[in-house]
């Protein structure tokens, strides 16, 4: 009996020694490569600190202590934060083939997509398949095609303006992000799913409820825990995620989105013979075909088009990536104009001048041809980039500017920190749209401004987002002004997660011109 216990104890001791050795080895990677990192806690790595503070505060703290490149561990998984613009240019543009994948999709989302038989879309798509899909989808975002969607965008703008009219009549301040969030969701449902609702007037649908519910259920700590868990128990994580996918509301919301979209595609295919086509993303993706690729003669017909489940995955991605981001851009721009009345007047003057010189101009043309409007939006995106960080994964060990990165390393690109760095921006905290005038841009490193990312994996929806936001602001500012009220919090308290939000909302007044 003692002999058995002795052997058991010995085995446990050996197992513990092995685990300690594995941990010691795993936590030695960054040191061996000469990449500085914060002190680690066994098992958690730097996860505890990341759960306590926002990812951008974490980046700020350790960039200040370690310089422009540092690493950290989630569990035993390595991430590298890179704020060095030369290295970023290599990762995002010059050697982008070695960093073609962005972040890994959370396991729970993989399981939910699998349960619903939904395609992977673009955001989390990898390698060659990502290249193929991006090639097919890119023409959908040409200026010519986006212009065709303007009537759907204008419809949303009209109902937004009538809501602002009511708010103005009441004379109260309003939490503007909430209004814009309904507007951009409504527009996204119309352009990506062909589903017309009037959320701003309180008229929703099963699809709009599922979409709104989906956004409420996403949380950053869930993803930090997942990354830590994944580094020790990947198989168990898969089982737990499969269970979560079946039981959590997130899975149910996605099922509604998936089933509704598939039935819309089906009915459009059935009606295609009557030649009555709607101009929206859904239809464009249904008709999309990759252009000829002379360098790839073997590309077969089937690989140049998208399946229905891929189309649903893509439309879902557009909603995921395009709804909250665009509404946040609009909300922060309105806030900045409200607290900078001089800049607001300059913008309104530019809009008036444009319409005086171009009587009867369309909303699309006006929004594309007022430079000051462009500068204002870009400056708002500098100060408040909706996505404060983006990511890449290294798929081939390589050395860049003397730093070696191993295959499998994940990269955090600290967009917000770069936008607020005094090294690249004079008085970075000041709202100054003229930074984006041709003279203001002269000599600036383009990598210092990346609200939509950069390189081949940059935001595919940038033009659509800017078109929607510009048209929206032109329409509003021809009738109203944003005004600071006693409820307006200055400076804003922020919550930073995958996206950044104003903690207590943004309350401003809507005044009539
Ligand atoms: C102000 C609005 C928006 C901002 C600030 C924004 C920002 C970003 C950023 C930072 C990325 C990652 C880029 C990189 O890592 O280099 C991204 C990717 C993406 N965005 Fe946007 N986005 C916006 C609106 C939209 C809209 C309206 C859509 C769709 C209609 C969209 C669709 C996507 C997609 C599909 C990707 C993944 C692209 C890929 O991996 O190939 N975004 N966006």
């Amino acid at each position: 009996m003692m002999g058995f216990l002795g052997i058991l104890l010995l085995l446990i001791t050996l197992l513990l020694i092995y685990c300690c050795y594995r941990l010691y080895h795993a936590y030695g990677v960054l040191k061996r490569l000469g990449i500085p990192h914060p002190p680690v806690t066994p098992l958690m790595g730097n996860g505890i600190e990341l759960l306590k503070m926002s990812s951008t505060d974490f980046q700020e703290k350790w960039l200040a202590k370690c310089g422009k490149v540092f690493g950290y561990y989630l569990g035993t998984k390595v991430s590298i934060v890179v704020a060095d613009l030369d290295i970023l240019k290599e990762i995002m543009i010059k050697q982008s083939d070695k960093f073609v994948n962005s972040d890994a999709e959370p396991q729970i989302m993989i399981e939910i997509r699998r349960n619903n038989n939904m395609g992977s879309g673009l955001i989390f798509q990898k390698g060659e398949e990502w290249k193929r899909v991006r090639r097919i989808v890119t023409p959908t975002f040409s200026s010519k095609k986006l212009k065709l969607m303007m009537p759907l965008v204008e419809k949303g703008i009209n109902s937004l303006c009538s809501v602002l009219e009511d708010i103005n009549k009441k004379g109260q301040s309003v939490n503007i992000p909430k209004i814009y969030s309904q507007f951009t969701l409504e527009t996204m449902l119309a352009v990506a799913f062909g589903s017309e609702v009037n959320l701003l007037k309180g008229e929703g649908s099963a699809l709009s409820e599922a979409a709104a519910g989906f956004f409420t259920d996403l949380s950053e700590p869930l993803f930090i825990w997942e990354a830590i868990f994944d580094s020790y128990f990947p198989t168990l994580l898969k089982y737990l995620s499969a269970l979560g996918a079946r039981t959590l509301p997130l899975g149910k919301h996605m099922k509604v989105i998936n089933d509704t979209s598939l039935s819309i595609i089906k009915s459009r295919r059935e009606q295609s013979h009557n030649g009555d086509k709607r101009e929206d993303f859904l239809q464009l993706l249904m008709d999309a075909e990759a252009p000829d690729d002379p360098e790839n003669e073997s590309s077969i017909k089937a690989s140049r088009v998208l399946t229905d489940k891929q189309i649903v995955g893509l439309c879902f991605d557009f909603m995921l990536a395009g709804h909250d981001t665009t509404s946040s851009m609009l909300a922060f721009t309105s806030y900045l104009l409200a607290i900078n009345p001089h800049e607001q007047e300059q913008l309104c003057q530019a809009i008036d001048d444009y319409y005086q010189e171009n009587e009867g101009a369309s909303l699309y043309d006006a929004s594309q041809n007022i430079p000051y409007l462009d500068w204002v939006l870009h400056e708002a995106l500098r100060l408040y980039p909706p996505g404060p960080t983006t990511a890449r994964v290294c798929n081939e060990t390589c050395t860049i500017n003397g730093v070696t990165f191993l295959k499998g390393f994940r990269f955090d690109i600290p967009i917000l920190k770069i936008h607020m760095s005094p090294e690249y921006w004079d008085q970075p905290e000041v709202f100054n749209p003229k930074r984006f005038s041709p003279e203001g841009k002269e000599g600036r490193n383009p990598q210092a401004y990346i609200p939509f990312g950069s390189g081949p994996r940059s935001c595919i929806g940038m033009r659509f987002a800017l078109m929607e936001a510009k048209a929206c602001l032109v329409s509003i500012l021809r009738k109203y002004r944003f005004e600071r009220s006693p409820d307006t919090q200055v400076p804003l308290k922020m919550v930073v997660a995958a996206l950044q939000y104003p903690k207590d909302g943004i309350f401003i007044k809507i005044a009539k011109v």
Side-chain angles (χ1 to χ4, degrees):
M1 186 65 186
M2 277 304 284
F4 174 73
L5 268 182
I7 292 172
L8 193 68
L9 272 176
L10 182 68
L11 284 177
I12 292 174
T13 314
L14 285 176
L15 189 69
L16 281 175
I17 292 173
Y18 174 73
C19 290
C20 290
Y21 168 76
R22 286 292 302 269
L23 274 184
Y24 174 78
H25 189 76
Y27 288 141
V29 171
L30 289 170
K31 195 167 175 209
R32 283 194 290 280
L33 294 171
I35 300 174
H37 65 88
V40 276
T41 311
L43 296 175
M44 293 291 278
N46 302 106
I48 296 175
E49 196 174 4
L50 262 161
L51 284 165
K52 279 190 198 152
M53 59 167 71
S54 74
S55 46
T56 46
D57 286 346
F58 178 78
Q59 287 164 0
E60 180 163 340
K61 176 174 167 189
W62 292 103
L63 283 170
K65 291 192 183 186
C66 300
K68 288 179 183 172
V69 178
F70 77 89
Y72 68 92
Y73 298 91
L74 275 183
T76 54
K77 282 197 167 172
V78 175
S79 291
I80 311 282
V81 177
V82 180
D84 178 308
L85 301 193
D86 294 333
I87 298 183
L88 275 186
K89 189 173 178 187
E90 296 291 325
I91 291 176
M92 299 178 96
I93 302 172
K94 286 191 166 172
Q95 302 193 39
S96 60
D97 257 12
K98 293 178 189 148
F99 302 88
V100 69
N101 299 334
S102 63
D103 217 352
E105 181 162 25
Q107 191 61 38
I108 185 141
M109 295 288 291
I110 296 177
E111 296 296 335
I112 293 176
R113 283 200 206 246
R114 187 175 300 147
N115 282 351
N116 290 300
N117 205 15
M118 186 192 271
S120 320
L122 256 186
I123 305 176
F124 299 111
Q125 193 56 268
K126 293 182 187 156
E128 287 305 310
E129 181 59 3
W130 167 75
K131 281 190 192 158
R132 185 186 78 84
V133 176
R134 178 107 188 187
R135 207 171 133 72
I136 300 175
V137 176
T138 297
T140 306
F141 287 86
S142 70
S143 306
K144 203 170 137 203
K145 298 233 166 99
L146 293 183
K147 194 175 172 183
L148 297 174
M149 286 182 228
M150 251 324 255
L152 293 173
V153 176
E154 280 195 61
K155 214 170 160 197
I157 293 177
N158 289 341
S159 60
L160 172 70
C161 285
S162 79
V163 169
L164 295 184
E165 180 69 30
D166 293 345
I167 293 167
N168 165 264
K169 278 189 191 136
K170 286 187 191 141
Q172 294 159 347
S173 53
V174 61
N175 188 12
I176 200 79
K178 210 173 153 198
I179 310 269
Y180 285 137
S181 175
Q182 286 173 335
F183 159 66
T184 56
L185 184 55
E186 190 174 305
T187 310
M188 196 43 84
L189 288 171
V191 294
F193 296 95
S195 160
E196 293 196 32
V197 285
N198 196 337
L199 297 179
L200 287 155
K201 291 262 158 79
E203 296 156 21
S205 66
L207 181 62
S208 67
E209 270 169 36
F214 182 85
F215 285 101
T216 325
D217 291 337
L218 285 177
S219 92
E220 198 188 36
L222 181 80
F223 298 133
I224 294 178
W225 276 113
E226 184 188 292
I228 295 170
F229 210 70
D230 191 31
S231 65
Y232 297 110
F233 311 108
T235 313
L236 184 57
L237 179 69
K238 276 190 189 138
Y239 285 119
L240 288 177
S241 301
L243 186 68
R246 286 182 200 286
T247 48
L248 292 176
L250 212 58
K252 296 193 179 95
H253 296 320
M254 258 177 84
K255 183 166 169 41
V256 175
I257 297 170
N258 185 64
D259 294 353
T260 316
S261 319
L262 278 177
S263 73
I264 297 172
I265 295 178
K266 193 165 166 251
S267 75
R268 283 200 189 181
R269 290 214 194 279
E270 280 163 7
Q271 288 161 13
S272 62
H273 54 271
N274 64 19
D276 213 11
K277 279 195 179 174
R278 213 178 122 100
E279 308 287 1
D280 59 17
F281 283 127
L282 189 66
Q283 191 62 50
L284 290 168
L285 293 175
M286 284 168 66
D287 298 341
E289 198 169 322
D292 283 333
D293 182 0
E295 284 173 22
N296 185 7
E297 284 297 321
S298 66
S299 65
I300 49 167
K301 180 92 176 158
S303 71
R304 291 169 58 187
V305 294
L306 301 163
T307 62
D308 286 359
K309 73 180 215 186
Q310 279 174 325
I311 295 173
V312 176
L314 282 163
C315 288
F316 177 74
D317 267 16
F318 294 169
M319 188 182 72
L320 190 66
H323 147 55
D324 262 0
T325 43
T326 312
S327 73
S328 144
M329 161 169 63
L330 278 164
F332 289 122
T333 307
S334 307
Y335 163 78
L336 287 164
L337 291 173
I339 62 168
N340 294 280
H342 177 67
E343 304 298 345
Q344 180 165 207
E345 270 327 299
Q346 247 178 291
L347 173 57
C348 294
Q349 191 58 57
I351 295 173
D352 285 350
D353 290 350
Y354 178 83
Y355 275 106
Q356 259 170 28
E357 285 160 26
N358 303 276
E359 219 176 299
S362 69
L363 181 57
Y364 178 84
D365 284 341
S367 53
Q368 297 300 307
N369 291 299
I370 302 174
Y372 201 74
L373 175 61
D374 195 59
W375 308 348
V376 164
L377 277 169
H378 281 298
E379 177 66 341
L381 284 170
R382 182 188 69 80
L383 282 162
Y384 296 102
T389 304
T390 188
R392 291 288 185 278
V393 177
C394 176
N395 57 17
E396 187 185 321
T397 296
C398 55
T399 301
I400 299 176
N401 289 11
V403 191
T404 299
F405 301 118
L406 303 186
K407 182 177 173 179
F409 277 12
R410 182 185 169 281
F411 290 79
D412 284 352
I413 299 161
I415 299 177
L416 178 63
K417 290 296 131 210
I418 293 171
H419 286 187
M420 296 305 285
S421 165
E423 193 179 337
Y424 315 119
W425 303 95
D426 182 31
Q427 295 186 291
E429 65 295 343
V430 173
F431 176 64
N432 174 11
K434 292 193 186 67
R435 296 178 202 271
F436 290 91
S437 65
E439 307 78 57
K441 282 202 275 197
E442 244 167 54
R444 186 186 308 141
N445 187 331
Q447 286 296 123
Y449 180 67
I450 47 171
F452 295 99
S454 111
R457 193 112 210 188
S458 65
C459 177
I460 200 168
M462 177 181 81
R463 279 207 199 123
F464 178 80
L466 290 171
M467 174 183 94
E468 183 183 4
K470 285 177 179 177
C472 181
L473 287 174
V474 168
S475 304
I476 296 176
L477 291 171
R478 290 191 81 190
K479 295 187 192 147
Y480 309 100
R481 295 289 179 270
F482 303 115
E483 270 183 8
R484 184 175 176 161
S485 81
D487 306 334
T488 314
Q489 191 181 67
V490 185
L492 290 172
K493 286 192 192 121
M494 302 295 293
V495 178
V496 185
L499 298 183
Q500 55 168 340
Y501 304 91
K503 184 170 178 282
D504 308 308
I506 299 178
F507 286 85
I508 52 175
K509 276 193 157 182
I510 307 295
K512 214 154 190 173
V513 176

